[in-house]
Amino acid sequence: ADADPLQDFCVADRNATISVNGFPCKPISQVTSEDFFFSGLMKEGNTSNVFGSTVTLGNVLEFPGVNTLGISMNRVDFAPGGINPPHSHPRATESGVVIQGKLLVGFVTTNNVYYSKVLSAGQMFVIPRGLVHFQRNVGEGKAFTLAAFNSHLPGAVVVPTTLFASTPSIPNEVLTQTFQVKDEVINSIKSKFGA
Ligand code: GLV
Ligand code: MN
């Protein structure tokens, strides 16, 4: 969903002090092969956290070579039973392939319809741009998936942390009214995220 590039490439100059929509290009004389290759998704991520999953990012911030090219990738690792919690990407459609394990992948449309399927290694999914989705490891062992995006910086709105772990936090009365629950329920949820 990014704008079309106006040149072959524009390797991001992460040290540039000017700020634009995207990153300025590194001078071509300094561009090398290394700029177009990225090893950051080789390693299994650490899944020791409340969700039992971790997203390893391969967007323009980690991989400057994708700057302006309208694509990027993530790796998501799951402990047994782990979940990549409901979230959405404001700037990208996501497509992924399960590399290992068995994942329940689901998303909900703007009409509140839920679509889902359990996928095994080699099977793909697609999440339309902006829709809330999740993946949950429903297999016996570990799982991981590689996901691709049509943006060099898809962004992620993670529903639980957006609502319950923002800085500063959303006032309790907003959340008690929204979810029709008592204060203690909101406090309990907030405490799980260290808020
Ligand atoms: C998976 O949904 C991801 O956004 O990496
Ligand atoms: Mn996603």
Side-chain angles (χ1 to χ4, degrees), residues 74 84 87-89 94 125 127 133 135 147 149:
N74 281 351
N84 183 16
H87 65 278
S88 75
H89 305 288
E94 169 176 345
F125 61 87
I127 310 293
H133 60 284
Q135 298 102 4
F149 303 87

Side-chain angles (χ1 to χ4, degrees), residues 106-166:
F107 69 88
V108 178
T109 68
T110 56
N111 292 325
N112 238 7
V113 179
Y114 171 60
Y115 294 98
S116 72
K117 185 175 165 97
V118 173
L119 301 184
S120 303
Q123 293 187 294
M124 285 183 73
F125 61 87
V126 66
I127 310 293
R129 177 178 170 179
L131 299 187
V132 171
H133 60 284
F134 65 86
Q135 298 102 4
R136 182 164 193 272
N137 183 358
V138 294
E140 302 281 302
K142 295 189 230 182
F144 91 88
T145 181
L146 291 174
F149 303 87
N150 65 337
S151 169
H152 73 190
L153 192 61
V157 176
V158 182
V159 177
T161 50
T162 293
L163 291 177
F164 297 102
S166 64

Side-chain angles (χ1 to χ4, degrees), residues 30-90:
Q30 290 170 26
V31 171
T32 70
S33 286
E34 287 304 305
D35 288 312
F36 302 105
F37 300 90
F38 179 63
S39 306
L41 302 191
M42 290 173 72
K43 260 191 22 228
E44 182 180 336
N46 179 2
T47 58
S48 308
N49 55 61
V50 283
F51 296 122
S53 88
T54 196
V55 178
T56 305
L57 301 165
N59 63 40
V60 67
L61 301 178
E62 332 293 324
F63 185 4
V66 301
N67 189 43
T68 75
L69 299 182
I71 54 150
S72 60
M73 292 187 80
N74 281 351
R75 167 180 180 144
V76 193
D77 286 283
F78 302 82
I83 189 168
N84 183 16
H87 65 278
S88 75
H89 305 288

